[in-house]
Amino acid sequence: MLCSEEACAIASKTLRLQALNYIHLSFKKNLHMQVWNDYLSQNKQRFLDELLDLLRIPSVSADSKYKTDVARCAESVKENLLKAGCDMAEICPTNGHPIVYGEKIIDASAPTVLVYGHYDVQPADPLDLWHSGPFDPVIKEGKIYARGACDDKGQMFMHVKALEVMNNTGTLACNLKFMIEGEEEVGSSNLGKFLEGNKDKLKADIVLVSDTSMISMEHPSIETGLRGLAYMEVEVIGPNRDLHSGVYGGAVHNPINALCKMIASCHDEKNHITIPEFYDKVQQQTEEERNALNAAPFDLEEYKKDLDVNEVWGEEGYTTLERTGTRPTLDVNGIWGGYTGEGAKTVLPSKAFAKISMRLVPHQNSDEIAAIFQKHFETIAPKSVKVKVTPHHGGEPVVTPTDSVAYKAASEAIKTAFGKDPIPTRGGGSIPIIALFEKVLGLKTVLMGFGLDNDNIHSPNEKYDVANFYKGIETLPYFHKYFAEMSKG
Ligand code: BES
Ligand code: MN
Ligand code: MN
């Protein structure tokens, strides 16, 4: 047994050691912070200029007219990776647009972070609603306006610049691999094969992605799930040719009328989806889970004001955060047929078309839902028309763990850079490849997004706040540092 003096001496020594350790650690942290901040502030303007150069390339993956621009953009991403410090970077051709792969390996025993992002963008139309050219980036009131500014060039480029910061200050703690694709906005249909064929090359400990949103700079957050997607095209066929709507109107079923009724019947009066079996695999959130999700700061009045709508809409019994985060949906993305030109033309069209997509939540499967939808649409079509349903691309929902080392590292990184713990949220969008990272490579993902919900992604006047761009570059090095430290145990 120790006498009380001895015990006292040991306790005070332990305390002193702990204090010293703490001072040492925070000194190290501050030291890193200092060199990173210095490097960032000395190179700020150049970082932004380089992003603007990338945004000038119209890398629209959906439109074959831009094929050479997409290729040019891949080349530019590769050059940027080499410039930032990658040991190697290469263009990997696919059956579609190329994938850019690059790596910086510092030490075989250090953890490896696989950064995923995409350099392709959505089409810019409708062009007349843009206040400046979509591929002619401008900075107004601290925001970068351009197609791809947020989704995903601006966010992907933060990782490239974070590599430069760490590399040029000699502070890299993890190996880094980059896989930046050019087909995310068209469903990543060639990327699965690339994962299958490059399992060794893509070996890593975690996938890190910045292609999602956070609540705000005041309320940093991390998305811990994404919805899946089943995307369908339907064609409703009426008479074998366009008809005079007076001569035949009232006697022959108009396929546009029929299609509208079929679509309208897909939601009931409580805005639930009426397709049989659609909800069969959807799990109810527990009261605790619902409360946690709804505890995130959210101002419904602000939300409505921002969108200029008098009321929100959605499934009865669920909040707006639940409707976008944990509930599946069905939406018409486009509908056409008949005459839509100037003036009037009295026509009873021969055909009507629509693109319809469903957002899916955990346990729903995109192929199953596509089949369920197809069967339903064929069943509800009146005998007076024919219907053809074609599934497009799909993607599976994902939930990312919040008790992993990687999540903790991301959480600490945000806490260090923002001074606040991040709030876990659920994202409404989809990134189909994330489920395949787990399925094919056995890798979990951390979604460290720095976009805002009102960044107008996929819309005219897409923007990304310059402050978010810099904040991302400031935050990401901490992720690598903490991930390396925490991986050691
Ligand atoms: N980056 C988005 C997805 C996203 C945005 C997730 C915001 C969470 C918050 C991605 O580029 C995207 O637009 N994905 C498509 C799916 C794809 C198959 C076309 C989507 O969600 O519609
Ligand atoms: Mn994206
Ligand atoms: Mn997108």
Side-chain angles (χ1 to χ4, degrees):
M1 195 160 133
L2 296 170
C3 77
S4 66
E5 271 155 45
E6 261 177 306
C8 238
I10 290 173
S12 89
K13 195 171 168 198
T14 315
L15 265 177
R16 263 207 322 274
L17 273 176
Q18 275 174 353
L20 270 175
N21 206 11
Y22 178 78
I23 291 165
H24 177 70
L25 275 180
S26 62
F27 176 69
K28 247 177 81 181
K29 188 159 137 184
N30 290 334
L31 205 67
H32 273 106
M33 198 183 276
Q34 198 54 49
V35 286
W36 288 339
N37 284 350
D38 287 351
Y39 191 90
L40 180 56
S41 62
Q42 281 154 21
N43 294 279
K44 252 183 151 162
Q45 189 57 45
R46 177 173 58 81
F47 284 8
L48 187 58
D49 290 340
E50 287 169 356
L51 171 60
L52 299 189
D53 280 344
L54 205 60
L55 291 169
R56 286 192 186 96
I57 308 174
S59 50
V60 181
S61 51
D63 190 341
S64 55
K65 197 167 87 205
Y66 295 99
K67 196 167 188 281
T68 54
D69 294 303
V70 177
R72 194 153 59 84
C73 194
E75 198 57 50
S76 168
V77 171
K78 180 189 132 184
E79 290 308 319
N80 271 296
L81 283 172
L82 289 171
K83 208 168 97 183
C86 276
D87 307 322
M88 69 81 95
E90 60 187 6
I91 305 271
C92 308
T94 72
N95 283 335
H97 299 299
I99 295 158
V100 186
Y101 176 80
E103 61 181 36
K104 172 82 191 174
I105 307 297
I106 51 157
D107 177 354
S109 68
T112 301
V113 178
L114 174 60
V115 172
Y116 163 79
H118 62 96
Y119 67 83
D120 66 319
V121 299
Q122 286 276 325
D125 59 276
L127 282 179
D128 50 329
L129 295 183
W130 283 80
H131 302 314
S132 53
F135 301 107
D136 185 11
V138 294
I139 295 172
K140 262 192 311 203
E141 290 158 7
K143 297 166 177 66
I144 311 159
Y145 286 90
R147 170 58 86 233
C150 171
D151 185 10
D152 178 41
K153 286 175 180 169
Q155 295 206 62
M156 170 271 284
F157 201 59
M158 300 179 319
H159 290 265
V160 181
K161 292 295 99 177
L163 165 64
E164 183 187 317
V165 170
M166 294 183 285
N167 190 48
N168 286 1
T169 54
T171 51
L172 269 165
C174 293
N175 299 311
L176 260 141
K177 295 183 175 177
F178 287 85
M179 189 182 78
I180 313 296
E181 71 152 318
E183 294 191 297
E184 196 278 340
E185 299 292 9
V186 288
S188 304
S189 49
N190 294 294
L191 195 56
K193 207 169 119 194
F194 184 77
L195 299 192
E196 295 281 357
N198 291 279
K199 287 186 187 167
D200 246 12
K201 183 188 245 175
L202 299 173
K203 255 204 181 107
D205 296 283
I206 189 71
V207 180
L208 183 62
V209 181
S210 295
D211 192 23
T212 51
S213 324
M214 58 177 196
I215 300 171
S216 66
M217 285 291 249
E218 293 70 43
H219 300 292
S221 58
I222 296 179
E223 289 189 4
T224 60
L226 291 167
R227 291 195 284 189
L229 185 70
Y231 203 112
M232 317 294 292
E233 184 155 337
V234 302
E235 184 178 344
V236 176
I237 305 148
N240 61 3
R241 58 191 187 275
D242 282 5
L243 304 173
H244 187 289
S245 68
V247 177
Y248 289 96
V252 175
H253 205 169
N254 180 325
I256 300 182
N257 294 9
L259 175 59
C260 290
K261 199 164 176 177
M262 288 161 75
I263 290 171
S265 78
C266 286
H267 289 98
D268 68 14
E269 68 289 350
K270 291 183 171 166
N271 302 329
H272 295 301
I273 293 158
T274 57
I275 302 174
E277 299 170 56
F278 184 82
Y279 292 105
D280 280 7
K281 296 202 170 160
V282 177
Q283 287 183 354
Q284 275 299 332
Q285 297 276 104
T286 64
E287 222 30 57
E288 251 179 316
E289 287 169 327
R290 294 185 71 173
N291 290 341
L293 186 78
N294 288 316
F298 175 74
D299 185 335
L300 188 60
E301 290 312 310
E302 269 302 306
Y303 188 82
K304 292 195 286 190
K305 210 172 117 207
D306 178 47
L307 301 174
D308 214 351
V309 295
N310 294 328
E311 274 308 329
V312 289
W313 178 93
E315 213 181 344
E316 209 174 283
Y318 297 94
T319 64
T320 298
L321 288 178
E322 291 175 309
R323 286 168 180 171
T324 57
T326 53
R327 298 297 297 169
T329 63
L330 181 149
D331 273 296
V332 179
N333 299 108
I335 181 163
W336 70 103
Y339 183 71
T340 55
E342 196 183 331
K345 178 187 178 190
T346 48
V347 61
L348 194 162
S350 160
K351 289 178 174 179
F353 303 84
K355 292 185 195 276
I356 299 173
S357 66
M358 290 156 283
R359 296 282 168 177
L360 313 178
V361 297
H363 309 292
Q364 285 183 303
N365 170 276
S366 66
D367 288 336
E368 277 173 28
I369 293 292
I372 287 171
F373 175 92
Q374 175 156 11
K375 190 170 127 204
H376 180 66
F377 238 64
E378 286 164 0
T379 311
I380 61 170
K383 285 220 165 57
S384 44
V385 296
K386 298 181 198 80
V387 57
K388 217 160 89 188
V389 180
T390 318
H392 282 291
H393 52 69
E396 305 316 318
V398 284
V399 174
T400 63
T402 51
D403 57 357
S404 64
V405 166
Y407 185 87
K408 284 187 190 123
S411 187
E412 270 308 299
I414 286 180
K415 191 170 181 188
T416 309
F418 288 79
K420 272 181 197 165
D421 283 318
I423 301 162
T425 61
R426 286 292 188 92
S430 311
I431 308 178
I433 201 63
I434 306 291
L436 292 185
F437 283 134
E438 170 125 43
K439 198 170 155 208
V440 180
L441 304 177
L443 290 180
K444 301 276 185 202
T445 296
V446 175
L447 300 164
M448 257 181 124
F450 294 86
L452 302 176
D453 273 349
N454 65 3
D455 277 342
N456 296 329
I457 63 173
H458 298 203
S459 280
N461 307 307
E462 177 174 351
K463 60 102 175 151
Y464 192 38
D465 288 48
V466 177
N468 292 46
F469 174 63
Y470 288 140
K471 202 69 181 167
I473 303 172
E474 186 189 325
T475 309
L476 293 170
Y478 288 111
F479 173 83
H480 293 272
K481 175 174 151 65
Y482 295 145
F483 186 59
E485 286 169 5
M486 292 177 184
S487 296
K488 275 187 215 142

